[in-house]
Amino acid sequence: MSLWSSIPRDRLNSARQISESERKRVIGEISNTSPMEPWPFGMPTSVNPFVLTIGPSPGNSPNRTDTVLNKLAYSAPTCGIPHEKIYYEDTKRFWNKARHLYQSIIRKHSGDLSIEECMSISGNLNFGVGLFGVATVRVIEKKYAEWIPMVTVDYLKPRFIILLGLNTILKDREVNNWISSSGHWNINFNKPDEEIQFEGYEKKRLVYRVWKYRHGKIVMWPQHPSRSPFTNNSIWEYSVREATEKIVKGV
């Protein structure tokens, strides 16, 4: 078994069975790469997420009970247990939809895992830490755009990277240069390896764009879960089912 196995159950079991000294070493090595100590705001993850979502920023729909809203660093990635912030409840229900996505993809490969076990091998990163409600190029921070390809390929090694709300942003020349600088993602965001039409919405043509990368697949979702048409939860769930059958199955 391996922390970064292609089988979710093996990732989880490996994380739970390693020694305390090895656990601290793995967490320390990953945390030492972070642009924010101990870990960036808005980016809860395990050390070995089978599924990793990546968005532009943490958004601007905090829980109404929060008293401090801006840029407080998160605790380091977890090993064998869910990151506490993966259970965050925002007012636009982004995290509800993200958790549904994680467990759907993971259970396609290891169907007996509980929700908590699925969350133990899931995570989210963003290309910036600012609280922005609209995804534009200006929310992207250079240090995170350079860091994310490196930390995903060399450390987190997700089987599936799901890009949310980034289709136009990642085609920007400057942002693309930041992402390409490390050489870890050799991806042409203007030319996907595969394009699959989303069948759950007829008013506008929406597609999944798919690229192969070193550890699996990178998938550009048709739209961010907090944006139309995915503000309709049934349409969001349709997209998850469809992608699980057409993109995830057999990988």
Side-chain angles (χ1 to χ4, degrees):
M1 292 187 292
S2 166
L3 278 174
W4 298 281
S5 170
S6 61
I7 301 171
R9 168 62 75 181
D10 288 351
R11 286 197 183 216
L12 179 65
N13 288 342
S14 295
R16 289 179 168 178
Q17 292 171 13
I18 63 173
S19 66
E20 181 64 13
S21 61
E22 179 67 3
R23 185 188 69 83
K24 288 181 178 179
R25 183 193 67 79
V26 170
I27 292 174
E29 284 188 354
I30 293 173
S31 299
N32 285 341
T33 71
S34 174
M36 179 183 286
E37 295 182 1
W39 196 252
F41 168 75
M43 306 192 200
T45 187
S46 67
V47 297
N48 59 343
F50 188 81
V51 185
L52 182 75
T53 48
I54 301 179
S57 78
N60 193 22
S61 58
N63 188 289
R64 299 186 194 281
T65 63
D66 284 353
T67 55
V68 180
L69 303 180
N70 197 25
K71 298 187 180 180
L72 292 181
Y74 273 14
S75 58
T78 54
C79 187
I81 60 173
H83 194 288
E84 62 177 3
K85 293 295 187 179
I86 211 164
Y87 292 115
Y88 191 82
E89 295 292 340
D90 61 292
T91 56
K92 289 189 176 179
R93 299 180 62 80
F94 166 80
W95 282 106
N96 292 69
K97 294 173 183 175
R99 290 189 294 270
H100 175 68
L101 174 64
Y102 301 148
Q103 76 178 64
S104 297
I105 293 177
I106 290 169
R107 283 178 169 172
K108 192 66 178 179
H109 294 80
S110 294
D112 61 334
L113 294 183
S114 68
I115 294 175
E116 181 178 352
E117 288 172 328
C118 290
M119 296 310 106
S120 299
I121 47 172
S122 299
N124 178 77
L125 300 179
N126 298 303
F127 281 104
V129 295
L131 294 172
F132 294 99
V134 179
T136 64
V137 170
R138 71 184 182 89
V139 314
I140 307 301
E141 297 180 50
K142 181 175 183 287
K143 59 185 176 182
Y144 291 103
E146 294 175 340
W147 173 67
I148 282 177
M150 180 278 296
V151 78
T152 53
V153 169
D154 288 348
Y155 293 91
L156 301 177
K157 305 176 187 178
R159 190 70 166 164
F160 293 95
I161 294 175
I162 310 297
L163 303 176
L164 301 172
L166 290 165
N167 189 38
T168 301
I169 291 171
L170 296 188
K171 293 176 182 177
D172 178 82
R173 181 176 297 179
E174 185 175 36
V175 172
N176 198 268
N177 286 340
W178 294 342
I179 290 171
S180 302
S181 62
S182 70
H184 285 78
W185 283 7
N186 296 313
I187 292 173
N188 181 349
F189 287 107
N190 290 294
K191 190 176 181 181
D193 297 330
E194 187 177 10
E195 192 170 276
I196 300 168
Q197 185 164 337
F198 173 47
E199 302 292 348
Y201 189 67
E202 296 180 353
K203 294 182 180 180
K204 181 180 179 181
R205 185 177 184 270
L206 297 172
V207 298
Y208 308 90
R209 294 178 173 86
V210 185
W211 296 263
K212 294 178 181 178
Y213 96 113
R214 191 180 305 177
H215 302 298
K217 287 186 176 182
I218 295 177
V219 183
M220 181 75 71
W221 216 255
Q223 181 55 284
H224 192 279
S226 299
R227 300 294 175 193
S228 178
F230 295 139
T231 47
N232 183 320
N233 197 58
S234 64
I235 297 177
W236 171 254
E237 290 180 355
Y238 187 105
S239 75
V240 174
R241 288 195 304 272
E242 183 177 67
T244 300
E245 289 299 323
K246 294 182 178 180
I247 301 171
V248 173
K249 186 177 181 180
V251 176

